[in-house]
Amino acid sequence: GGLSNSVEYLVLKDKTGALLDSINASAGWPAGDNSTKETMQKYEGAFVTATGTPKFAHVPSLAPVVANAKSESGSSSSSGSSGGASFFAQESALVPQKEEVAKPWRMNIGRDRIILPGTPIELSASFDKISGASYLFKWNFGDGTIGDGIKVTKIFEYPGTYAVVVNGSAGEVEGVDRISIEVVDPEIEIAKIVGGQEGFLEIKNGSKREVNIGRFRIASVDKSFTLPPDTILLPKTAVKFSNVILGIKDYGTASLFRPDGKVLTEKMFAVATSTREKLLADIEKKILDLSRQLASIISSFK
């Protein structure tokens, strides 16, 4: 229930029951005005009468007016019930003005990356849009090269860890972001080749981390196949690529090219002795058949 206007003793304790503060109002409250409904508030260790706080600021933010100010007739008056100081809100305090705080301009170029040498990496900046602003982005790839624009493509030639930094601006506001790109030596090899319609080419990743061989090219003597983007080899695993998919049946030498055109690894296609003998026999038979056909054609003209 509510508090009485007199004969009250108010105690404030914490959750452990320890006394924090108390006030003895057995002879009446030291401040507040029941007729105007102004409340009693504590200010600098003393109780004062001021406008209720649910819709107004607490007394430290209001302008103080000393109690017992002289009236027009020259006599003094008090707005408090027991002579406490009275505080009245100035007009500006009745409607608190919110100060506008400028939000920082945000931009981001994503997460850290791990790539192979000679592999193109595409980077782009995302950022807060500002109406009417012109945008400018300057990239530093950490290897002595730079770039411009929202989107850039970069190829790192040598293994290492590079700090990529982009400085951006939108009109008069600016931002900066950075990521790390680790370029690792590949432990990739062509592990096995099986020729023919039902054969395959097997590529092995011998490292402890996954590698992306998207856009790498598998080539034989006269045909090649470019692996689609984001072809991932998991750590310590091997993947078989079907000859049907690759469009390659006879290899000779199989090579795996980096996207920049340099050979990463290659393997000779060793034909088994029995298979070689069969091929030679087939060739000899075809030559013999052709010789007979040619002899028949010549004899028909005699």
Side-chain angles (χ1 to χ4, degrees):
L3 296 172
S4 173
N5 290 332
S6 61
V7 195
E8 292 284 1
Y9 190 91
L10 191 61
V11 176
L12 177 64
K13 296 181 180 181
D14 64 15
K15 63 181 181 180
T16 66
L19 180 66
L20 298 177
D21 201 357
S22 66
I23 179 173
N24 186 353
S26 58
W29 297 102
D33 192 320
N34 190 44
S35 61
T36 63
K37 303 305 179 184
E38 292 175 299
T39 62
M40 180 179 73
Q41 301 178 30
K42 199 167 189 179
Y43 177 63
E44 294 185 351
F47 289 103
V48 298
T49 300
T51 305
T53 56
K55 295 183 179 180
F56 295 92
H58 186 56
V59 288
S61 62
L62 304 181
V65 178
V66 178
N68 299 322
K70 290 186 177 180
S71 64
E72 293 182 1
S73 61
S75 61
S76 61
S77 62
S78 173
S79 61
S81 60
S82 59
S86 177
F87 285 73
F88 298 91
Q90 292 181 345
E91 182 179 356
S92 61
L94 295 176
V95 183
Q97 300 296 316
K98 292 184 178 180
E99 182 179 354
E100 292 291 334
V101 179
K103 293 182 179 180
W105 185 59
R106 296 172 299 179
M107 58 172 294
N108 184 277
I109 56 174
R111 55 179 175 80
D112 296 340
R113 311 284 186 87
I114 298 175
I115 62 172
L116 301 178
T119 304
I121 180 172
E122 297 176 354
L123 301 169
S124 62
S126 60
F127 50 91
D128 291 338
K129 303 297 190 296
I130 298 178
S131 178
S134 58
Y135 303 100
L136 182 65
F137 296 91
K138 296 285 186 180
W139 298 77
N140 186 323
F141 299 108
D143 65 345
T145 62
I146 58 176
D148 297 289
I150 297 174
K151 295 182 178 181
V152 294
T153 300
K154 169 65 179 173
I155 295 177
F156 290 93
E157 180 66 25
Y158 304 107
T161 302
Y162 300 88
V164 176
V165 181
V166 60
N167 286 275
S169 63
E172 297 182 354
V173 297
E174 299 178 340
V176 63
D177 195 21
R178 61 179 285 178
I179 59 172
S180 294
I181 295 182
E182 185 179 359
V183 184
V184 298
D185 269 323
E187 298 181 37
I188 295 174
E189 63 173 333
I190 297 175
K192 190 175 182 179
I193 301 173
V194 176
Q197 185 76 12
E198 298 182 359
F200 59 86
L201 180 143
E202 183 178 73
I203 299 178
K204 181 180 179 181
N205 174 19
S207 70
K208 296 180 179 179
R209 66 184 78 200
E210 67 179 35
V211 293
N212 188 338
I213 58 171
R215 299 190 179 92
F216 281 55
R217 185 166 58 90
I218 298 171
S220 66
V221 176
D222 58 351
K223 293 186 178 181
S224 67
F225 178 85
T226 300
L227 296 170
D230 294 326
T231 300
I232 306 296
L233 296 180
L234 298 176
K236 299 290 184 180
T237 60
V239 175
K240 295 180 176 67
F241 296 90
S242 167
N243 290 343
V244 175
I245 294 175
L246 299 179
I248 302 173
K249 295 180 182 178
D250 300 317
Y251 285 91
T253 298
S255 302
L256 181 64
F257 289 87
R258 300 187 333 188
D260 62 358
K262 294 183 179 180
V263 176
L264 177 62
T265 183
E266 59 185 6
K267 186 178 181 67
M268 292 291 295
F269 178 48
V271 181
T273 302
S274 59
T275 304
R276 185 183 296 113
E277 291 175 349
K278 182 178 182 300
L279 288 174
L280 290 173
D282 289 342
I283 292 172
E284 290 176 355
K285 182 177 182 301
K286 289 180 180 178
I287 292 174
L288 181 60
D289 290 340
L290 288 173
S291 298
R292 289 172 178 172
Q293 291 176 14
L294 182 60
S296 175
I297 293 172
I298 293 173
S299 64
S300 66
F301 286 99
K302 290 180 179 180

